[in-house]
Amino acid sequence: MARKSLRVWRWAAMLVALSVLTAGCAQGGASSGSVHLNFMVWSYGIDTIQDNIKKFQSSNPSVTVSLADTSWFNYHDTMATKFTAGGAPDVAYSSDHWLREWVSAGWIVPIDQYCPSLASYKDEWAPYALQGMTLNNHVYGLPYYADMVIFIYNDKLLKQAGFDHPPATWEELTSQAQTIKSKGISQYPIDIPMKKDDPWTIEIFYSMVYGRGGHMFDSNTNPTFAESGGPAEQTLSWLRSAYASKILDPAVFESAEPDVVKTTGSGQHVFTVLAKYNLAELNQGQHAQKGNFKMALMPGSQHSTVGFVRFYSLTKAAVSHGDAAVKASCNFLQYFGGKTDGQYKVVKRWAVEKGLGFANLPLYDDSDVSKSINAWGNVDLERQQAKTANVKEGLTRWWGTWDIYAREQIDNAVSGSSTPSQALQNMNTKWSQLKS
Amino acid sequence: MQAEIGLRPNLVRRWANGVPAHPWLTVAPVLALVALFTIFPFIYAAVTSTRQMILTLPDQTPFVGLKNYLDVLQDASARQAAVNAVVFSVVAVTAVTLLGLLVALLLNQPIRGFGILRALVLLPWAIPLVSAGIIWRLLLHGDFGAFNGLLLQLGIVHSYIPWLSSRQLALGAVIVAHVWREFPLPAILFLAGLQVIPPDVVDAATVDGAGAWQRFRYVILPLLKAPLLIVLVYETMIAVTVFDLVYVLTGGGPGSATTLFSWYAYAATFHFLNLGQGAALSFIMAAVLLLFIAIYLRLLRVGRDDT
């Protein structure tokens, strides 16, 4: 009986060894013949991405690509888990506000080092986008899209209230919103995404401060936002006052970007501050007020706003997978963020089909792009706003951590559980702690 | 016999106290798995909690002793999260237990059709927590929530209530969603407990002149001590560690109104990328849980006779 049992054990051990060997050979075969890339994105335009991947694969038959996506709201945390616990993709979406953090953690690598030919495109990128992808003189990505935070209003409802122009200052916005509310056109005329886990909150807050001609940090990334009575405090006080007087939607703290688009599109609100691509959605999507939305320069004395860039990044995982994986990743980045047959095909596609902004300046001269933007927006106004757009200030290794804390403090000040001054002081203290 | 199960005789030794070796060998794979998936992570987390481990500083992980614990105890946000967690746990566990008990008492009545109800009552518990969170978010949203729509249609409110945006209401809204999701399990456990109570005991109390409340208080409740202890321990663990619901419903906001300790531990780890502090927070949470459980055991003193 014992001998028989031993035989069974030996056979089992041989089977396990054989299966391990087979699996090893299979992997080796795959690596010798073709390269497989993992591409991680946040969940937007997945059908378009799949189609782009299909086209890339048909022109690069030796490369196969797997796509994985997760919500924008979880993207940072999901990527942190993937990068640290294993399963990191080869190529991934990233953003200017995570650049320092991801580089410090060693998660992404400079493309000018691993894909030198791609960095030559940088001369054609908008300065704020290049700045958002550059660290220590290295370029870490190719733009997926670059856009601005803009002021959006419902022109039809504004005219219905008797106004023939959008507000130029925040004080004028208050006045118009109060009139709209008193006339019963909208119970809560203003809505902006301020849900605590929505990363847009901080970009919108920056834009409101920039619009007033203010800054959040100086050129040495020292905080300037806590200046007593400064533009940041004025912005928080304005938000608090709008919330208290109910011209700002009381549900603002549970409203993320998609919620605001939905409710503004339905006509519940007249004014909002969002990323520009939402104007395309509001005017072309399935909304009751479709076609009635326009952009205006960011209210304030300077009309400045935030320009941001989301980009394709090459990860350290791709480098660890070997030269073949790096080469395939570079080709992939070239197709998605660079030129194919002399054209920014994928970037143009996003602009024309989805209204996404772009950092690739030559596209402004493309007639298809201009025609497409004018169908839902205003190319001239967009160019004018772009001239005053600034990159987010204070982008440091710890900015991502500070951002999350800052959002909580902004919520606290707007909801009235702390004063604007106290919230800004807390943000200042947190910055100092993180810096040290 | 030992040879029949295929073990070499020389492996089958006895320990000094006379315990044969082969039982240990048979459970060794399981022990190895437990060590791999429980003991190792526990030790790793304990070590992590004593180091500065920030993902953006991967090359600087010095030993810092109890600094992470001290930082957490001195952090105003962590203290606020702890206060929220205590309020949440006390209210949620009490509500879940009482509702579970009430539903069990109702379902224990010999009424036609209650068999189906017993199955249906499990429905909220069968729904994944994230899905439950999404359902409740759609119900309670201050701009388009169905519950607000209902209240408005019935004329109970004049405008939508921002349940999840109001600092005063948000934690309550999360508790309601949590109670809805959690009450079925206690209900089924209490129902099982009720069904094994001998009817003679209750009848005897009735004959002795006990009213409904007296029968419940002095006969039924003491016999439900064992399921009550299980419910209290389990629901406290769930309430203290609940995370998914907050994640989906409010993201911890508005401000810090629904930031629970478990959420804060998550934020420290995945938002702030501070693994050392995240591990310290987890150990503090585990210690509090153990304290709660010890208190329950002390208060209820369930003996062998009760079980």
Side-chain angles (χ1 to χ4, degrees):
Chain A
M1 195 68 179
R3 185 175 291 276
K4 186 179 174 185
S5 173
L6 264 178
R7 274 205 302 274
V8 171
W9 277 104
R10 281 181 191 140
W11 274 107
M14 280 172 68
L15 276 173
V16 171
L18 194 64
S19 60
V20 169
L21 196 65
T22 312
C25 288
Q27 279 192 343
S31 63
S32 62
S34 63
V35 179
H36 185 78
L37 297 179
N38 289 305
F39 180 34
M40 184 80 193
V41 301
W42 50 79
S43 312
Y44 177 80
I46 295 300
D47 291 344
T48 307
I49 301 171
Q50 292 279 21
D51 190 52
N52 287 335
I53 289 174
K54 203 171 151 188
K55 286 175 179 161
F56 167 75
Q57 287 181 151
S58 67
S59 56
N60 293 270
S62 62
V63 183
T64 55
V65 181
S66 294
L67 179 70
D69 71 297
T70 189
S71 155
W72 162 249
F73 305 107
N74 315 328
Y75 192 75
H76 173 270
D77 302 353
T78 304
M79 292 306 287
T81 310
K82 280 185 177 290
F83 281 127
T84 51
D90 301 285
V91 188
Y93 282 0
S94 186
S95 174
D96 48 10
H97 61 292
W98 298 324
L99 177 67
R100 272 75 181 165
E101 184 184 89
W102 291 23
V103 171
S104 299
W107 295 340
I108 58 176
V109 297
I111 58 155
D112 53 6
Q113 190 179 331
Y114 288 92
C115 316
S117 62
L118 300 182
S120 62
Y121 291 120
K122 67 183 181 185
D123 296 338
E124 296 187 348
W125 297 338
Y128 69 83
L130 176 60
Q131 201 180 337
M133 295 185 295
T134 304
L135 184 63
N136 301 328
N137 296 320
H138 282 295
V139 179
Y140 281 85
L142 261 75
Y144 152 46
Y145 78 94
D147 218 336
M148 296 172 293
V149 174
I150 61 164
F151 185 82
I152 297 173
Y153 66 97
N154 185 321
D155 189 48
K156 186 181 168 190
L157 296 182
L158 192 68
K159 282 182 176 149
Q160 196 180 321
F163 297 104
D164 60 0
H165 65 275
T169 63
W170 295 103
E171 291 66 35
E172 192 178 1
L173 172 59
T174 303
S175 166
Q176 290 190 355
Q178 281 168 344
T179 304
I180 288 167
K181 187 177 174 77
S182 66
K183 287 188 175 178
I185 294 168
S186 166
Q187 192 175 12
Y188 308 117
I190 309 167
D191 195 15
I192 53 176
M194 289 190 73
K195 189 163 183 263
K196 192 179 168 185
D197 56 1
D198 188 340
W200 284 112
T201 303
I202 198 74
E203 311 212 27
I204 288 168
F205 181 72
Y206 262 65
S207 299
M208 295 172 80
V209 174
Y210 286 4
R212 290 176 181 271
H215 289 274
M216 294 292 288
F217 295 88
D218 65 18
S219 54
N220 295 316
T221 67
N222 296 311
T224 56
F225 56 76
E227 178 200 340
S228 179
E233 191 175 329
Q234 289 169 24
T235 300
L236 266 187
S237 300
W238 183 88
L239 283 165
R240 169 66 195 147
S241 169
Y243 180 79
S245 60
K246 296 196 174 177
I247 53 173
L248 178 64
D249 185 6
V252 71
F253 303 118
E254 58 194 285
S255 297
E257 184 194 51
D259 304 318
V260 174
V261 171
K262 196 188 305 178
T263 52
T264 306
S266 72
Q268 282 192 48
H269 316 295
V270 181
F271 307 106
T272 185
V273 182
L274 292 169
K276 183 174 60 61
Y277 63 79
N278 288 295
L279 185 60
E281 167 60 26
L282 283 166
N283 280 329
Q284 296 185 315
Q286 297 299 313
H287 303 285
Q289 295 287 324
K290 173 183 174 179
N292 295 331
F293 295 95
K294 289 187 174 174
M295 76 171 275
L297 295 177
M298 189 61 66
S301 57
Q302 299 299 312
H303 303 302
S304 182
T305 190
V306 162
F308 58 87
V309 62
R310 314 290 187 225
F311 58 88
Y312 300 101
S313 63
L314 179 66
T315 72
K316 203 171 184 178
V319 176
S320 69
H321 292 155
D323 291 344
V326 172
K327 192 181 170 193
S329 299
C330 292
N331 289 341
F332 183 81
L333 291 169
Q334 158 76 32
Y335 184 82
F336 274 72
K339 286 181 181 172
T340 303
D341 302 328
Q343 278 201 319
Y344 290 110
K345 283 193 173 171
V346 172
V347 182
K348 180 178 170 179
R349 182 176 185 186
W350 283 117
V352 171
E353 292 183 13
K354 300 282 185 182
L356 292 191
F358 44 83
N360 316 62
L361 296 175
L363 283 178
Y364 272 117
D365 300 321
D366 186 300
S367 58
D368 294 339
V369 174
S370 297
K371 191 178 161 193
S372 165
I373 292 175
N374 280 328
W376 52 262
N378 182 329
V379 170
D380 293 335
L381 202 55
E382 187 180 322
R383 272 189 174 173
Q384 198 181 336
Q385 183 69 90
K387 279 181 193 166
T388 60
N390 280 325
V391 71
K392 283 188 293 293
E393 294 164 342
L395 292 179
T396 51
R397 171 177 55 76
W398 57 89
W399 190 89
T401 303
W402 174 82
D403 158 35
I404 291 153
Y405 181 80
R407 283 186 237 159
E408 184 175 308
Q409 293 304 313
I410 292 169
D411 273 16
N412 284 339
V414 177
S415 65
S417 69
S418 74
T419 64
S421 167
Q422 186 57 54
L424 292 167
Q425 284 304 329
N426 290 345
M427 286 157 65
N428 197 22
T429 306
K430 188 71 174 179
W431 183 269
S432 302
Q433 286 171 355
L434 292 167
K435 193 175 181 179
S436 62
Chain B
M1 187 63 186
Q2 285 151 358
E4 283 177 12
I5 59 169
L7 293 169
R8 289 178 183 175
N10 61 348
L11 284 179
V12 189
R13 297 200 177 101
R14 284 177 173 272
W15 299 88
N17 61 3
V19 179
H22 73 262
W24 289 99
L25 290 173
T26 53
V27 297
V30 177
L31 286 177
L33 287 174
V34 170
L36 184 66
F37 293 111
T38 306
I39 299 170
F40 171 71
F42 181 83
I43 294 170
Y44 187 80
V47 171
T48 301
S49 74
T50 59
R51 305 193 84 89
Q52 175 195 289
M53 206 169 274
I54 302 170
L55 287 182
T56 50
L57 297 169
D59 302 324
Q60 299 167 38
T61 57
F63 175 76
V64 292
L66 297 177
K67 184 179 179 296
N68 285 325
Y69 292 88
L70 292 173
D71 285 350
V72 167
L73 294 174
Q74 288 167 358
D75 183 2
S77 300
R79 284 202 299 271
Q80 181 62 52
V83 170
N84 288 345
V86 169
V87 172
F88 179 89
S89 300
V90 170
V91 178
V93 172
T94 307
V96 164
T97 307
L98 288 177
L99 186 62
L101 188 57
L102 280 173
V103 170
L105 287 168
L106 187 69
L107 292 177
N108 197 41
Q109 302 306 310
I111 298 173
R112 187 186 290 266
F114 270 28
I116 297 167
L117 270 183
R118 281 173 200 159
L120 285 178
V121 84
L122 276 172
L123 203 59
W125 196 59
I127 294 174
L129 210 48
V130 171
S131 308
I134 292 169
I135 291 169
W136 277 95
R137 185 163 183 262
L138 292 172
L139 278 173
L140 296 176
H141 199 284
D143 278 333
F144 48 80
F147 185 59
N148 270 321
L150 179 70
L151 294 178
L152 196 70
Q153 295 269 326
L154 294 174
I156 296 170
V157 297
H158 299 299
S159 61
Y160 278 25
I161 297 170
W163 301 101
L164 302 171
S165 282
S166 159
R167 295 188 67 85
Q168 290 74 36
L169 300 174
L171 191 61
V174 177
I175 290 173
V176 168
H178 176 82
V179 171
W180 175 84
R181 170 63 172 63
E182 284 298 321
F183 86 88
L185 183 67
I188 294 301
L189 287 173
F190 284 131
L191 185 61
L194 287 169
Q195 289 183 342
V196 294
I197 294 174
D200 299 353
V201 180
V202 182
D203 292 345
T206 310
V207 169
D208 287 346
W213 168 248
Q214 286 167 318
R215 286 200 299 275
F216 173 74
R217 170 69 185 84
Y218 297 107
V219 179
I220 295 171
L221 197 56
L223 292 171
L224 286 178
K225 255 189 181 181
L228 182 62
L229 180 67
I230 293 168
V231 165
L232 285 175
V233 169
Y234 176 78
E235 290 303 332
T236 302
M237 283 170 62
I238 295 293
V240 171
T241 58
V242 70
F243 159 76
D244 325 40
L245 208 54
V246 175
Y247 187 80
V248 178
L249 268 182
T250 62
S256 51
T258 60
T259 300
L260 305 181
F261 208 65
S262 52
W263 168 262
Y264 193 75
Y266 168 84
T269 308
F270 292 99
H271 287 165
F272 306 153
L273 305 179
N274 191 333
L275 267 57
Q277 211 171 80
L281 281 159
S282 302
F283 273 97
I284 291 171
M285 204 158 63
V288 170
L289 260 177
L290 281 175
L291 183 70
F292 266 117
I293 291 166
I295 291 170
Y296 288 147
L297 289 171
R298 179 91 181 154
L299 287 176
L300 288 170
R301 292 173 189 273
V302 177
R304 284 182 183 277
D305 293 345
D306 297 323
T307 57

